[in-house]
Amino acid sequence: MVEIKEGFSKLEHRYLFQEIARKVADFQKESPGTDIIRMGIGDVTLPLVPAVIRAMHAAVEDMASKESFHGYGPEQGYDWLREAIVRGDYAPRGIDVSADEIFISDGAKSDLGNILDLFSRNNSVGITNPVYPVYVDTNVIDGREIHFIDCSAANGFTGDIPSRPLDLVYLCYPNNPTGAVITREKLEKWVAYARDCGALILYDSAYEAYIRDPEIPHSIYEIPGAKDCALEFRSFSKTAGFTGIRCGYTVIPGGLMGLNALWNRRQGCKFNGASYISQRGALAVYTPEGRAQIQENIDYYLGNAAILREGLERAGLEASGGENAPYVWARTPEGADDWAFFDLLLRKAGIVVTPGSGFGTAGRGFFRLTAFADRARTKEAMERLVALCAG
Ligand code: PLP
């Protein structure tokens, strides 16, 4: 008889965003005339920048002739993209990462889930709380023991270093959902912890392009010793609007626990490379025009984040994040339950947010707003919120 992996029965019934979509759809059925502003899901809304579009059109043209056609590419990604990443993302920060330590993928979510192929089910896992749900769900599926590291305003939403040794530790900065960033000093402490107890840090820096404060590290490898204890996951999704194109990369240092060779073997066995067209698009992100154009989009989103912060303040709500991240994290008024506040915002103001408890128990009493909506709609949402809280 076919037996299904036990972990699936331990997953929360629905993925958070499916639950939100269901509630919004139900409300739309009840009240079809309501103009709904979606500040919930973390998807970008601006189109791809011209430099990327041009590169991808050219890549399609390559596919149209025998001489420049590309079939299967290297599973690790094309060397020209891996080298551009070294030159564009690491060398300028004085970080020694080589092209063969970079693996191109179809996005960070796949790599964050798939990386667990390398690790025994016996490993203990540390996960900050609240958190991007993928880290939790992928470990629940495998049946690993999870130790939650609570993040609160008191520790700047960066969690206290655990007093017990753990095997795998997930860190995500700038953070989804809190929009918090981590200081160099705090990240040094995490690296020291990992080196001390032999833990491996899985560092998700999908939002590093949003960092504006020059003191905040963009990569864990800015910390000396991190190459001995950390992998880094990055994505073109939020940097360059690739959520629908799909391209990201993972850095696996050469000398680290033999993981580079194992991942190479794993990818050779289960992955056939990201598409040539996506990788050509990603390459354009590193050209001077591409860089300038994506910066404009990121500035636009950060401008929205500033509007969210200001609106929440006017509404009298406590908020953080949004300065070096596209997410703003706010406390519900008067300790209201966050799902109840979600319903109130939807029904009375037509605004969709993400309830904090959807990201873990430590998110109770909070909600997340994203800066990815249209500017005018972001302003409109804040006017509605201010009116609701005043009323
Ligand atoms: N990591 C974090 C923290 C995210 O918030 C997201 C997407 O929302 C991802 C990774 C996934 O990115 P990708 O689109 O590259 O799969």
Side-chain angles (χ1 to χ4, degrees):
M1 201 175 88
V2 175
E3 285 190 28
I4 304 297
K5 234 182 182 178
E6 213 183 304
F8 278 96
S9 65
K10 308 230 160 69
L11 284 175
E12 296 270 329
H13 182 55
R14 276 177 204 268
Y15 187 62
L16 170 64
F17 294 103
Q18 290 169 348
E19 181 67 19
I20 292 171
R22 188 189 58 81
K23 277 180 173 272
V24 174
D26 287 353
F27 175 63
Q28 271 177 318
K29 256 188 238 145
E30 273 169 47
S31 175
T34 306
D35 169 34
I36 292 177
I37 308 182
R38 294 168 197 273
M39 312 293 291
I41 198 154
D43 198 357
V44 292
T45 52
L46 292 173
L48 292 170
V49 299
V52 168
I53 290 291
R54 215 174 319 112
M56 290 177 60
H57 274 302
V60 171
E61 283 304 318
D62 287 348
M63 294 304 214
S65 80
K66 208 169 180 180
E67 292 68 40
S68 51
F69 172 77
H70 284 72
Y72 288 125
E75 290 94 353
Q76 305 81 357
Y78 286 100
D79 284 346
W80 35 259
L81 181 55
R82 301 167 92 195
E83 279 154 16
I85 290 167
V86 169
R87 283 195 307 272
D89 289 342
Y90 291 103
R93 298 189 188 283
I95 298 168
D96 171 30
V97 163
S98 62
D100 57 11
E101 295 175 313
I102 292 173
F103 294 83
I104 310 297
S105 69
D106 62 350
K109 192 183 197 178
S110 323
D111 277 3
L112 283 159
N114 293 333
I115 200 76
L116 293 176
D117 276 4
L118 307 190
F119 303 110
S120 154
R121 189 173 169 266
N122 300 330
N123 287 313
S124 57
V125 184
I127 304 185
T128 52
N129 178 13
V131 76
Y132 177 54
V134 169
Y135 316 146
V136 177
D137 287 357
T138 51
N139 278 289
V140 168
I141 289 171
D142 281 1
R144 276 186 206 87
E145 178 205 334
I146 299 177
H147 170 86
F148 285 103
I149 302 162
D150 282 356
C151 297
S152 63
N155 56 35
F157 295 102
T158 56
D160 294 331
I161 310 287
S163 49
R164 57 173 277 193
L166 292 164
D167 300 315
L168 302 171
V169 175
Y170 288 82
L171 296 179
C172 170
Y173 296 101
N175 188 260
N176 176 14
T178 66
V181 286
I182 193 160
T183 62
R184 192 172 300 275
E185 295 70 35
K186 184 70 182 271
L187 197 50
E188 278 167 4
K189 289 195 177 127
W190 276 112
V191 168
Y193 163 81
R195 286 168 60 99
D196 246 24
C197 68
L200 181 73
I201 297 175
L202 305 174
Y203 196 74
D204 182 348
S205 56
Y207 298 97
E208 66 78 31
Y210 289 79
I211 296 173
R212 284 292 174 269
D213 182 340
E215 298 302 316
I216 300 297
H218 287 242
S219 163
I220 193 165
Y221 302 123
E222 289 178 49
I223 309 300
K227 276 191 88 179
D228 300 332
C229 65
L231 311 185
E232 182 157 285
F233 299 83
R234 287 208 180 174
S235 168
F236 293 98
S237 286
K238 308 301 161 63
T239 304
F242 274 48
T243 51
I245 300 294
R246 311 305 306 144
C247 198
Y249 66 87
T250 294
V251 183
I252 309 198
L256 178 52
M257 304 176 192
L259 295 174
N260 184 294
L262 284 179
W263 184 245
N264 205 20
R265 184 73 183 86
R266 188 267 174 212
Q267 292 296 77
C269 162
K270 291 196 183 179
F271 186 58
N272 251 337
S275 109
Y276 170 71
I277 299 166
S278 306
Q279 293 188 66
R280 276 287 176 205
L283 184 66
V285 168
Y286 295 97
T287 61
E289 318 81 73
R291 268 191 189 287
Q293 291 164 358
I294 64 165
Q295 273 316 318
E296 247 176 67
N297 288 0
I298 292 169
D299 287 346
Y300 177 89
Y301 293 135
L302 285 172
N304 285 349
I307 290 165
L308 295 177
R309 289 288 299 258
E310 188 266 336
L312 287 159
E313 196 180 321
R314 272 195 292 137
L317 300 182
E318 187 188 320
S320 60
E323 286 167 335
N324 297 286
Y327 298 116
V328 176
W329 188 241
R331 209 183 277 278
T332 60
E334 289 146 26
D337 171 80
D338 48 289
W339 275 107
F341 190 62
F342 167 91
D343 286 331
L344 182 81
L345 278 179
L346 177 62
R347 286 168 184 279
K348 300 281 188 237
I351 307 171
V352 181
V353 299
T354 315
S357 59
F359 298 102
T361 51
R364 279 193 196 126
F366 289 89
F367 62 101
R368 187 193 74 171
L369 289 162
T370 88
F372 293 123
D374 173 77
R375 176 64 51 88
R377 300 291 277 166
T378 302
K379 287 184 177 163
E380 166 73 17
M382 289 303 95
E383 292 317 314
R384 292 187 195 179
L385 175 75
V386 170
L388 180 76
C389 289

